[in-house]
């Protein structure tokens, strides 16, 4: 005997999945895009990472203890996905083509630098850029950043200090104090 699923129950289940997907997109898409762009410097690749991370979240990332735990998972997964892309051989071989495509499109979304400060932050070495971006642009504490990136608090503090020093020298002392 064939078992037929109740169509009303199936519709309710689909509706709850759609609501969860909409919630995840509204809550995390901007964060994922901005963080991905700081690593990859490409809107297209940042959008790919955004889709990948949201799919992982929706397809069973597991139960989270709190909204903060879920957000930390999203940040960590985004950073790891970006690092995987940066290590991939395909990216190294296709960089000139990506650069040409990016140069042709009009700046919009995360590619349009909001300020000279953001441009300079994006130019920092990866360790400094991660710490400075997460602290100043996303509002995480040193302890939270250490947990997200799997580093000690001392390392994060050092990266923040060195990143600020580099920004101070590139932006100039007076402008730096007003901007960061």
């Amino acid at each position: 005997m064939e078992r037929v699923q109740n169509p009303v129950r199936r519709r309710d289940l689909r509706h709850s999945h759609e609501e969860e997907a909409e919630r995840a997109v509204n809550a995390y898409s901007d964060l994922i895009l901005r963080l991905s762009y700081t690593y990859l410097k490409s809107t297209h690749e940042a959008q790919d990472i955004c889709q990948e991370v949201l799919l992982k979240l929706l397809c069973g990332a597991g139960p989270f203890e709190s909204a903060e735990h879920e957000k930390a998972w999203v940040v960590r997964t985004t950073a790891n996905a970006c690092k995987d892309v940066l290590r991939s051989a395909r990216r190294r071989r296709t960089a000139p083509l990506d650069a040409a495509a990016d140069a042709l499109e009009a700046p919009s979304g995360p590619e349009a630098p909001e300020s000279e400060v953001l441009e300079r932050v994006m130019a920092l070495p990866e360790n400094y850029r991660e710490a400075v971006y997460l602290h100043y642009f996303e509002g995480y504490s040193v302890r939270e950043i250490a947990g997200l990136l799997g580093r000690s608090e001392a390392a994060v503090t050092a990266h923040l200090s060195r990143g600020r020093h580099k920004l101070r020298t590139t932006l100039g002392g007076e402008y730096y104090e007003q901007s960061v």
Side-chain angles (χ1 to χ4, degrees):
M1 191 167 150
E2 258 184 66
R3 188 171 178 192
V4 178
Q5 194 175 30
N6 184 345
V8 173
R9 185 175 181 77
R10 201 171 354 146
R11 205 174 317 126
D12 291 341
L13 186 60
R14 184 180 51 196
H15 185 67
S16 70
H17 287 306
E18 288 173 2
E19 286 177 348
E20 177 60 18
E22 189 172 330
R23 181 199 67 81
V25 168
N26 290 336
Y28 299 118
S29 62
D30 286 343
L31 169 66
I32 296 168
L33 283 171
R34 286 191 316 266
L35 185 58
S36 298
Y37 185 76
T38 64
Y39 279 95
L40 305 172
K41 311 248 187 321
S42 166
T43 299
H44 299 294
E45 287 180 330
Q47 290 168 340
D48 289 345
I49 295 294
C50 186
Q51 287 180 357
E52 181 181 325
V53 171
L54 287 171
L55 274 173
K56 284 180 183 179
L57 178 64
L58 294 171
C59 291
F64 296 102
E65 297 169 8
S66 65
E68 291 166 357
H69 181 226
E70 182 180 61
K71 186 175 181 181
W73 181 91
V74 167
V75 169
R76 182 72 175 180
T77 303
T78 300
N80 288 340
C82 290
K83 289 175 183 179
D84 288 345
V85 168
L86 290 171
R87 281 191 295 261
S88 76
R90 182 191 63 77
R91 178 175 168 87
R92 284 190 293 256
R93 283 194 312 264
T94 61
L97 182 58
D98 289 345
D102 287 345
L104 292 175
E105 67 182 37
S108 65
E111 280 204 55
E114 295 174 17
S115 68
E116 183 179 354
V117 175
L118 182 58
E119 282 183 40
R120 300 299 169 93
V121 168
M122 302 270 290
L124 290 172
E126 182 179 325
N127 288 340
Y128 304 159
R129 182 177 64 235
E130 287 175 331
V132 169
Y133 180 81
L134 289 172
H135 185 70
Y136 290 105
F137 290 86
E138 296 298 331
Y140 284 103
S141 70
V142 170
R143 175 174 282 154
E144 292 170 326
I145 295 169
L148 289 171
L149 300 177
R151 297 185 188 135
S152 69
E153 289 181 39
V156 172
T157 302
H159 294 154
L160 279 171
S161 176
R162 292 175 187 148
R164 283 191 296 260
H165 178 74
K166 284 187 173 285
L167 288 172
R168 189 177 299 119
T169 57
T170 59
L171 291 171
E174 196 171 306
Y175 183 71
Y176 166 83
E177 295 299 329
Q178 295 171 1
S179 301
V180 177

